[in-house]
């Protein structure tokens, strides 16, 4: 690895990451800010994309193609589906899918378009490092499927659809689009989330309440992983 990209979707998701670094150089590009830092000789670019799949794809592609990053880590929050995941708990994606991608009208499965695939796998090497770090630090981390869509899910009906259709453990709004970009550009990537809500009728309230603390849980773990790269 020569240059590392670290992404979040919201400012609150990268603030706790940036707080670890001094001497931050800010570069503006394509209506966004990219924060360049150096950690023990490793060049890192940090950015938050803004919410949703389109902004996340733009940011991931920019970090790779313009800034020359060759590994990408994502840190942020998610809605929990797996009942084992409580607010604040950590999940790393072994694979991701787009729960709102729907051309079932033409006989295709949910989450599929021709030329793509329903599930995209994350880097096994990065997950192995992350699991070792979790073990060493006594952190409970679940490895599972993350479903992504351009919707803030706040109903048991939609949550159940996503659970039944994709057997997903958590859901959010960026991960799978980052996965598509990294997979296409052959860049190893890792998606980490901490639970901020359980995507049901209380989700909006819980998200506001727990965004910052869960984002910090995710960021603190991510920094421990960076130290091992
Ligand atoms: N990120 C965190 N909670 C979420 C939810 N309920 N829906 C979509 N993205 C989320």
């Amino acid at each position: 690895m020569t240059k590392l990209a670290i992404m979040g979707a919201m400012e609150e998701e990268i603030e706790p990451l940036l707080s670890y670094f001094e001497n931050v150089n800010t570069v503006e590009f394509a209506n966004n800010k990219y924060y360049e830092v150096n950690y023990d000789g490793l060049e890192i670019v940090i950015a938050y994309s803004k919410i949703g799949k389109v902004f996340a794809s733009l940011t991931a592609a920019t970090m790779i193609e313009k800034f020359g990053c060759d590994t990408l880590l994502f840190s942020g929050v998610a809605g929990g589906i797996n009942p084992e995941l409580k607010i604040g708990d950590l999940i790393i994606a072994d694979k991701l899918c787009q729960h709102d991608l729907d051309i079932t009208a033409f006989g295709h499965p949910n989450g599929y378009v021709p030329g793509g695939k329903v599930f995209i796998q994350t880097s096994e090497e990065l997950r192995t490092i992350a699991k070792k770090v979790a073990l060493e630090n006594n952190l409970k981390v679940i490895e599972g499927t993350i479903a992504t869509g351009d919707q803030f899910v706040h109903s048991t009906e939609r949550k159940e659809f996503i659970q039944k259709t994709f057997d997903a453990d958590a859901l959010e709004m960026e991960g799978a689009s980052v996965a598509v970009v990294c997979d296409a550009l052959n860049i190893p990537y890792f998606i980490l989330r901490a639970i901020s809500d359980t995507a049901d009728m209380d989700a909006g309230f819980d998200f506001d309440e727990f965004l910052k603390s869960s984002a910090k849980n995710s960021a603190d773990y991510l920094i421990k992983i960076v130290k091992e790269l």
Side-chain angles (χ1 to χ4, degrees), residues 137-170:
N137 288 275
N138 215 8
L139 292 170
K140 182 191 154 207
V141 177
I142 281 184
E143 192 175 8
T145 303
I146 292 184
T148 301
D150 281 324
Q151 304 165 349
F152 183 84
V153 177
H154 60 117
S155 80
T156 41
E157 205 183 356
R158 183 70 194 164
K159 180 178 158 176
E160 274 171 26
F161 164 80
I162 295 166
Q163 197 281 324
K164 286 203 181 89
T165 311
F166 301 101
D167 197 18
D169 296 286

Side-chain angles (χ1 to χ4, degrees), residues 87 152-156 159 196-210:
I87 286 172
F152 183 84
V153 177
H154 60 117
S155 80
T156 41
K159 180 178 158 176
S196 56
D197 59 85
T198 49
D200 50 20
M201 60 190 249
D202 295 327
F205 177 84
D206 287 343
F207 182 87
D208 283 344
E209 188 76 11
F210 298 109

Side-chain angles (χ1 to χ4, degrees), residues 4-214:
L4 176 67
I6 306 182
M7 259 186 85
M10 298 174 70
E11 192 167 12
E12 290 86 344
E13 291 173 323
I14 68 154
E15 255 169 11
L17 289 164
L18 284 173
S19 70
Y20 278 93
F21 302 101
E22 284 161 11
N23 301 325
V24 179
N25 182 47
T26 307
V27 179
E28 294 203 18
F29 180 77
N31 295 333
N32 208 357
K33 288 195 174 82
Y34 292 81
Y35 303 99
E36 295 177 318
V37 300
N38 199 290
Y39 180 76
D40 255 358
L42 173 65
E43 285 183 77
I44 306 179
V45 184
I46 302 174
Y48 75 93
S49 55
K50 300 186 277 287
I51 295 166
K53 294 194 289 182
V54 174
F55 285 131
S57 305
L58 172 63
T59 300
T62 298
M63 288 172 118
I64 297 163
E65 289 296 316
K66 182 176 168 62
F67 287 87
C69 296
D70 53 11
T71 300
L72 188 149
L73 312 179
F74 191 106
S75 175
V77 301
I81 299 176
N82 181 336
E84 270 193 51
L85 285 167
K86 310 292 179 213
I87 286 172
D89 286 357
L90 298 160
I91 174 166
I92 59 177
D94 57 1
K95 60 184 190 305
L96 299 104
C97 59
Q98 297 181 63
H99 68 73
D100 60 347
L101 190 57
D102 183 349
I103 54 164
T104 55
F106 302 95
H108 293 295
N110 278 289
Y112 178 81
V113 290
K117 42 196 170 190
V118 177
F119 293 104
I120 307 192
Q121 312 286 330
T122 60
S123 156
E124 198 175 342
E125 197 183 331
L126 291 171
R127 270 187 283 130
T128 303
I129 296 169
K131 285 186 277 186
K132 180 175 154 278
V133 170
L135 210 63
E136 286 165 359
N137 288 275
N138 215 8
L139 292 170
K140 182 191 154 207
V141 177
I142 281 184
E143 192 175 8
T145 303
I146 292 184
T148 301
D150 281 324
Q151 304 165 349
F152 183 84
V153 177
H154 60 117
S155 80
T156 41
E157 205 183 356
R158 183 70 194 164
K159 180 178 158 176
E160 274 171 26
F161 164 80
I162 295 166
Q163 197 281 324
K164 286 203 181 89
T165 311
F166 301 101
D167 197 18
D169 296 286
L171 55 88
E172 35 83 309
M173 301 179 69
E174 297 82 20
S177 59
V178 172
V180 170
V181 169
C182 291
D183 186 58
L185 296 173
N186 216 7
I187 295 291
Y189 69 99
F190 173 77
I191 311 282
L192 167 67
R193 298 279 186 169
I195 301 302
S196 56
D197 59 85
T198 49
D200 50 20
M201 60 190 249
D202 295 327
F205 177 84
D206 287 343
F207 182 87
D208 283 344
E209 188 76 11
F210 298 109
L211 166 62
K212 279 196 177 158
S213 57
S214 293

